[in-house]
Amino acid sequence: MLFRRRRRLTPLGVLGRGLSFAVCFALVTLALKGHGAILPEDRTDVMYHAYDGGGLKVDGPSVLIRKAYKDKFSVWGNYYVDLISSASIDVVTTASPYSERRDEVSVGLDYLQGTTFMGLAYTSSEESDYSANALNFGISHDFFGDLTTVGISYARGWDEVRRNGDDLFAEDAKRQSYRVDLSQIITKNFIVNLNYEAVTDEGFLNNPYRQVRYFDPNSTRGYSYEPELYPRTRTSSATAVRGMYYLPYRASLKADYRYYSDSWGIKGWNAEVAYVHPLTDNLVLEGKYRYYSQTGADFYADLFPYSESQNFRARDKELATYFNHTVGAGVSYQFNMPWISFLKRGELNLFVDYMMFDYKDFNDLRVTGFAPGEEPSYNFNSVVVRAFISFYY
Amino acid sequence: MKLLFKAVSVVAFVGALGGCGSMELKPWVSPYERNNLADPIMSFNRAPVSVAYLHHVHQAREGARGAEGGGGGGCGCN
């Protein structure tokens, strides 16, 4: 424990956390397959990840091991850790800095039969006040001379939300995800993906620590706090289109766009372009730009007019109206290890992203001397690092 | 006007389907033409552990969720 804890705020956000990695990894499993019926390559990745921005630091290791058997099955496992120390704006204005650890284990089995590929994955994560479990099943099939791949997947998650310092508090959240993927080779240099995913949540969906503020003329600072309260259901849909083009020289250009909406009134979209350029056979450089924008939830407000002024109340900045820009760069270096007979090759990778967040209706309460609601809007920048080594065998 | 547009669209779509049948649409990119698609730089998920982590960051910091990542890429040359 680096800091004395008074009241805790979950830095990663309760929203969608239970399914996040289960969905990601199971879908990565499907995505890994690539076009044409082949199992993913045997590999081991050892990664150090770090997020630093807005007073929040999260870092830790992630290890992924994958091995195929008899060209039919491929099993994989991932161990992932978040080491968190938070003095984010929520924490410094309504709670105390704290440190936390989250451990996550995922296992999966892929099966290939002809041009049909199936993946089953289970994920479990644990931290002091949150447990999440999720199961994911996906199947995809190649058609039309392997130019077209259609996949569907389903995920179900069971979360338990607890509150540190309150042994009587325990709530459940259930999550389901339905996804359809279409991948199409357009030309010998151009491939396109279409994805649609619907997610439904039911249960305790807000943060047991987070507060909303309301106008209070009896308070010396002009406002007071009360617990946030979210609806107990949420349904969202997201549609994405992605394309990748092989340039006339050896390099690739990627572009993607996603549109999102949900029953809480959030509408968002993001777009990204990336360029991958091999300098030599062993050295690959990559650069990207990403833009994300969203409108706030219907029940979000930076300052409510009075206590319990509406049924549902939120002041989570992830539910506010805001946008962010991301620029990123990466380098990969491939090397051979002839002295280790069973290894085909290795790869060193470093990727760094710089994210710039700008909020429209989430005010910076650290600034004093302003009337309630007149504070300047909050903004912050963060650095995201992924450094990893991969071994192929 | 909208109804007319929809009707024309449906007729055009059905016509296109019929046209596809009569043209005997065949795969237009042969396996031996997929060298470029098989290049690792054409993979949407070249490093799964890294891509999954980035999705995790986006899901934690942004309200939107779902339809991340993308399948495909590669050659289909087995």
Side-chain angles (χ1 to χ4, degrees):
Chain A
M1 182 72 68
L2 295 175
F3 307 98
R4 184 178 66 85
R5 178 183 303 176
R6 188 170 72 222
R7 183 181 292 140
R8 180 170 177 277
L9 288 171
T10 306
L12 298 177
V14 172
L15 295 172
R17 186 170 56 175
L19 271 181
S20 59
F21 251 62
V23 170
C24 282
F25 258 100
L27 295 175
V28 165
T29 301
L30 281 177
L32 259 175
K33 182 181 74 70
H35 221 92
I38 50 175
L39 284 170
E41 192 171 10
D42 292 349
R43 65 188 293 167
T44 292
D45 297 89
V46 180
M47 181 174 76
Y48 168 76
H49 61 83
Y51 175 95
D52 189 352
L56 172 67
K57 292 181 180 177
V58 184
D59 67 350
S62 178
V63 178
L64 173 70
I65 299 174
R66 175 181 280 280
K67 182 78 179 77
Y69 295 95
K70 298 183 177 179
D71 296 330
K72 286 281 186 188
F73 299 93
S74 178
V75 295
W76 59 270
N78 176 240
Y79 178 59
Y80 174 93
V81 178
D82 277 329
L83 298 168
I84 304 152
S85 64
S86 180
S88 68
I89 184 168
D90 286 341
V91 170
V92 297
T93 52
T94 64
S96 297
Y98 67 92
S99 63
E100 175 69 287
R101 174 187 175 121
R102 187 173 78 94
D103 291 82
E104 182 178 273
V105 175
S106 302
V107 292
L109 172 67
D110 298 334
Y111 175 64
L112 178 67
Q113 176 64 51
T115 56
T116 301
F117 183 91
M118 285 172 272
L120 183 66
Y122 173 73
T123 296
S124 177
S125 77
E126 195 68 40
E127 57 191 297
S128 65
D129 55 3
Y130 204 101
S131 302
N133 298 281
L135 195 62
N136 183 312
F137 175 74
I139 182 169
S140 69
H141 187 75
D142 294 345
F143 298 92
F144 197 53
D146 292 346
L147 292 192
T148 307
T149 302
V150 176
I152 55 172
S153 59
Y154 171 75
R156 191 176 184 93
W158 303 265
D159 299 357
E160 184 183 83
V161 188
R162 299 179 295 274
R163 186 163 55 198
N164 286 326
D166 182 358
D167 295 337
L168 298 177
F169 181 90
E171 291 273 5
D172 293 330
K174 295 176 182 172
R175 309 174 191 280
Q176 295 186 82
S177 161
Y178 307 84
R179 177 163 170 150
V180 180
D181 299 278
L182 171 67
S183 182
Q184 178 68 50
I185 291 177
I186 306 295
T187 72
K188 61 183 181 180
N189 293 315
F190 187 32
I191 184 168
V192 169
N193 282 333
L194 292 172
N195 318 107
Y196 173 80
E197 184 171 358
V199 182
T200 64
D201 300 332
E202 186 178 2
F204 186 82
L205 305 180
N206 54 283
N207 186 306
Y209 307 100
R210 187 173 285 116
Q211 309 275 304
V212 301
R213 67 170 183 154
Y214 61 92
F215 185 69
D216 183 0
N218 298 321
S219 169
T220 53
R221 60 190 171 190
Y223 60 86
S224 296
Y225 288 101
E226 63 183 347
E228 67 177 15
L229 184 59
Y230 291 4
R232 291 185 68 86
T233 60
R234 183 188 189 189
T235 302
S236 67
S237 67
T239 306
V241 57
R242 297 178 172 85
M244 188 169 273
Y245 188 77
Y246 192 94
L247 294 168
Y249 53 97
R250 189 180 174 229
S252 65
L253 193 62
K254 181 183 125 181
D256 74 44
Y257 173 83
R258 178 180 67 161
Y259 178 77
Y260 171 87
S261 65
D262 68 25
S263 58
W264 287 1
I266 297 175
K267 290 182 169 53
W269 65 275
N270 59 271
E272 179 178 327
V273 289
Y275 176 68
V276 181
H277 185 98
L279 276 184
T280 68
D281 286 343
N282 295 334
L283 190 63
V284 177
L285 302 180
E286 188 171 332
K288 74 168 188 185
Y289 169 76
R290 180 178 184 271
Y291 177 80
Y292 173 84
S293 174
Q294 73 170 54
T295 61
D298 294 335
F299 51 93
Y300 172 88
D302 179 68
L303 179 64
F304 289 89
Y306 52 89
S307 175
E308 299 185 352
S309 59
Q310 55 191 61
N311 286 351
F312 301 117
R313 306 175 292 274
R315 194 179 174 271
D316 178 356
K317 62 182 184 299
E318 275 74 51
L319 301 187
T321 299
Y322 69 98
F323 61 87
N324 68 57
H325 299 274
T326 303
V327 290
V331 57
S332 303
Y333 177 73
Q334 203 172 100
F335 55 92
N336 295 316
M337 293 168 291
W339 59 91
I340 305 178
S341 59
F342 64 90
L343 287 182
K344 290 181 186 170
R345 66 187 189 281
E347 195 173 57
L348 284 168
N349 302 272
L350 176 65
F351 292 88
V352 180
D353 286 6
Y354 188 67
M355 305 179 77
M356 295 155 277
F357 293 82
D358 212 334
Y359 295 85
K360 184 180 177 187
D361 54 0
F362 181 82
N363 292 354
D364 189 345
L365 305 188
R366 299 169 304 175
V367 182
T368 56
F370 292 89
E374 299 298 322
E375 304 90 349
S377 297
Y378 181 61
N379 63 77
F380 76 100
N381 302 327
S382 61
V383 177
V384 183
V385 175
R386 293 160 284 157
F388 57 101
I389 186 166
S390 307
F391 298 103
Y392 299 86
Y393 39 85
Chain B
M1 193 63 190
K2 282 185 178 177
L3 192 62
L4 179 65
F5 179 75
K6 284 182 181 175
V8 170
S9 300
V10 169
V11 170
F13 181 69
V14 172
L17 285 180
C20 288
S22 62
M23 287 191 301
E24 294 183 18
L25 192 63
K26 293 178 180 176
W28 55 83
V29 181
S30 302
Y32 62 84
E33 293 179 306
R34 300 176 196 173
N35 285 346
N36 292 346
L37 297 170
D39 193 314
I41 66 170
M42 284 292 285
S43 171
F44 283 97
N45 289 321
R46 210 152 44 97
V49 70
S50 166
V51 171
Y53 171 70
L54 210 54
H55 292 167
H56 184 50
V57 170
H58 291 153
Q59 287 192 357
R61 298 269 68 89
E62 297 171 350
R65 60 186 184 173
E68 292 100 347
C75 63
C77 9
N78 61 315

